[in-house]
Amino acid sequence: MNIIIKQQGLLKTPLSLQKNNTFKLLLNRMVHHKVTIIGSGPAAHTAAIYLARAEIKPTLYEGMMANGIAAGGQLTTTTEIENFPGFPDGLTGSELMDRMRAQSEKFGTEIITETISKVDLSSRPFKIWTEFNEDEEPITTDAIVLSTGASAKRLHLPGEETYWQKGISACAVCDGAVPIFRNKPLAVIGGGDSACEEAQFLTKYGSKVYLIVRKDHLRASTIMQRRAEKNEKIEIVYNTVTLEAKGNEKLLNGLRVKNVKTNEESDLEVSGLFYAIGHTPATKIVEGQVDLDESGYIKTVPGSSLTSVPGLFAAGDVQDSRYRQAITSAGSGCMAGLDAERYLTELE
Ligand code: FAD
Ligand code: NAP
């Protein structure tokens, strides 16, 4: 005898209760969302606020340590935010994200603390699965706002965990102005445009900036290379890899580096280390289903959040290899909210 109960809920399903092979209880969910927002950073919550205020009742999957980052996104991994307009005294990244989340909920966004593990964009409605319903009936949705963000690549050096955010950062624009870096020697690792740009930016604060490049040349565009070469506060250290981040009980104060041509090791005295070795956009769930650029970011139609798949909108760092800031993510989240609203209206 089989009893089948259909329910909307967060239970891991199906749940089979068998007693002497007599009873089998299947809790199965048949869920449809008009619009699903995947992600929980500034882009996701801004899209949610716009869609909720348009009375579309969005559902937002905020993830459960998706990509190793807590719900709320990258800003939950940092301390003070000083460049988000409206907060002249600054506030912590987590506080800013708590406020955005509260604003999404206030206008009626349904927030589900689960990670979306699979998406099928091949037919309408789209199908999505969470990490808890992978083997079951999918959840269906008419539109998706993808705002899963990106994460900065790290080197995982010995000492990195100890000094992360205590001298080590992956965002010069975000953290460069922090007092611990003022008038101190700093280092940037990388040889691309980001590394050159970050090194240039950091010369405003540091006494000197070492640009540590693993090869004998930079990968950056010619103009960025020239700027770095011309800047008297930047010293480009070629053919060099970093072996260890060192410091005292509180803060980073040096790096162990090795010249890969001579194999000679030495110590570099620095108070700040900034990674600029690229980012990884969180696009795994849509890989092969939507157009990506050569670095793996979602391609959007310039000036919009439209992707190569009608009904899939992208916002935030997942589609932005250039600016990667909270305010630009929020701005693109607004665009995605408005684009999705228009799309749904046209569908109806
Ligand atoms: P993210 O913040 O990247 O968040 C996306 C989140 O969505 C993920 O983290 C995860 O929780 C969730 N998610 C991912 N995949 C899934 C899935 N499959 N299912 C469900 N959920 C999922 N910017 C500034 O403007 N000012 C600053 O001072 C500043 N400081 C920073 C400091 C640090 C250390 C870092 C790393 C970044 C900083 N930034 C700062 C950059 C800023 O955090 C990002 O630009 C911004 O958070 C990007 O927002 P987003 O909406 O694209 O998504
Ligand atoms: P990128 O072009 O991929 O460069 C990454 C750099 O990091 C490379 O020099 C690479 O070295 C180095 N690197 C990677 N892994 C490393 C490791 N384990 N150890 C040491 N070094 C390592 O990334 P990006 O600079 O972030 O640029 C991404 C895109 O954004 C590019 O298209 C860029 O043009 C664009 N961008 C443009 C601007 C601008 O125009 N103002 C600013 C920033 C970014 P190798 O060269 O040896 O591989």
Side-chain angles (χ1 to χ4, degrees):
M1 180 182 159
N2 282 347
I3 305 166
I4 299 181
I5 300 173
K6 302 222 186 275
Q7 80 152 39
Q8 284 199 13
L10 298 176
L11 284 169
K12 186 172 166 125
T13 61
L15 177 72
S16 298
L17 289 180
Q18 297 189 14
K19 199 176 173 189
N20 299 330
N21 285 336
T22 318
F23 293 105
K24 190 175 180 190
L25 178 66
L26 276 177
L27 290 173
N28 193 9
R29 58 176 164 189
M30 299 280 288
V31 180
H32 179 79
H33 305 312
K34 209 164 177 185
V35 56
T36 302
I37 299 166
I38 311 176
S40 53
H45 283 297
T46 307
I49 292 162
Y50 274 77
L51 285 160
R53 290 189 76 249
E55 297 182 351
I56 293 180
K57 255 204 146 308
T59 303
L60 182 151
Y61 287 86
E62 66 179 354
M64 200 188 261
M65 291 308 290
N67 300 319
I69 303 177
Q74 294 174 63
L75 288 185
T76 64
T77 69
T78 189
T79 48
E80 206 66 5
I81 308 297
E82 294 180 333
N83 54 10
F84 199 88
F87 300 96
D89 300 325
L91 76 177
T92 68
S94 294
E95 196 185 345
L96 180 58
M97 291 320 304
D98 286 349
R99 284 168 176 252
M100 289 195 199
R101 192 182 191 279
Q103 201 169 346
S104 296
E105 271 191 317
K106 176 182 165 185
F107 291 109
T109 303
E110 180 192 17
I111 299 178
I112 298 178
T113 310
E114 287 183 52
T115 299
I116 298 295
S117 54
K118 204 163 72 171
V119 171
D120 179 355
L121 304 173
S122 63
S123 57
R124 310 303 156 98
F126 298 139
K127 300 186 189 77
I128 57 177
W129 289 261
T130 73
E131 58 194 341
F132 295 129
N133 81 329
E134 269 191 340
D135 304 321
E136 302 162 31
E137 280 297 299
I139 297 155
T140 55
T141 186
D142 294 325
I144 294 176
V145 173
L146 191 78
S147 39
T148 45
S151 45
K153 289 184 188 158
R154 287 162 68 161
L155 283 180
H156 304 291
L157 298 171
E160 181 178 305
E161 281 309 318
T162 310
Y163 299 113
W164 184 251
Q165 293 290 305
K166 292 174 187 152
I168 307 182
S169 160
C171 182
V173 177
C174 315
D175 299 329
V178 168
I180 57 169
F181 302 130
R182 298 276 169 143
N183 301 314
K184 299 274 172 47
L186 309 172
V188 173
I189 299 180
D193 281 328
S194 295
C196 290
E197 197 168 71
E198 304 225 331
Q200 186 89 12
F201 179 81
L202 288 168
T203 57
K204 278 193 267 185
Y205 307 107
S207 56
K208 171 182 188 121
V209 180
Y210 296 102
L211 182 54
I212 303 176
V213 184
R214 65 180 171 181
K215 290 190 180 143
D216 63 0
H217 60 272
L218 292 165
R219 182 200 286 219
S221 54
T222 311
I223 182 163
M224 299 296 278
Q225 293 194 26
R226 296 293 164 263
R227 278 187 200 154
E229 286 161 359
K230 271 201 220 151
N231 191 318
E232 285 174 359
K233 281 175 107 180
I234 298 177
E235 180 179 336
I236 307 178
V237 190
Y238 288 108
N239 299 309
T240 300
V241 293
T242 307
L243 303 176
E244 188 184 349
K246 297 161 50 151
N248 56 31
E249 62 284 355
K250 282 192 186 151
L251 294 170
L252 178 91
N253 62 20
L255 300 175
R256 185 82 183 152
V257 296
K258 181 172 110 174
N259 182 307
V260 289
K261 284 265 162 82
T262 62
N263 278 332
E264 196 183 312
E265 291 188 18
S266 57
D267 286 323
L268 206 57
E269 202 183 298
V270 292
S271 297
L273 169 63
F274 293 83
Y275 288 144
I277 58 172
H279 280 70
T280 309
T283 51
K284 200 159 165 263
I285 53 172
V286 292
E287 242 167 36
Q289 304 188 68
V290 61
D291 289 353
L292 306 178
D293 72 11
E294 59 285 352
S295 307
Y297 289 83
I298 307 270
K299 269 191 186 173
T300 48
V301 174
S304 80
S305 66
L306 275 59
T307 69
S308 60
V309 178
L312 175 75
F313 305 91
D317 284 10
V318 75
Q319 52 84 57
D320 174 12
S321 64
R322 184 166 182 154
Y323 298 104
R324 292 188 297 242
Q325 294 296 297
I327 190 66
T328 49
S329 295
S332 65
C334 159
M335 290 158 69
L338 293 173
D339 287 340
E341 182 193 350
R342 194 163 305 133
Y343 173 81
L344 290 168
T345 307
E346 280 165 16
L347 263 194
E348 278 166 11

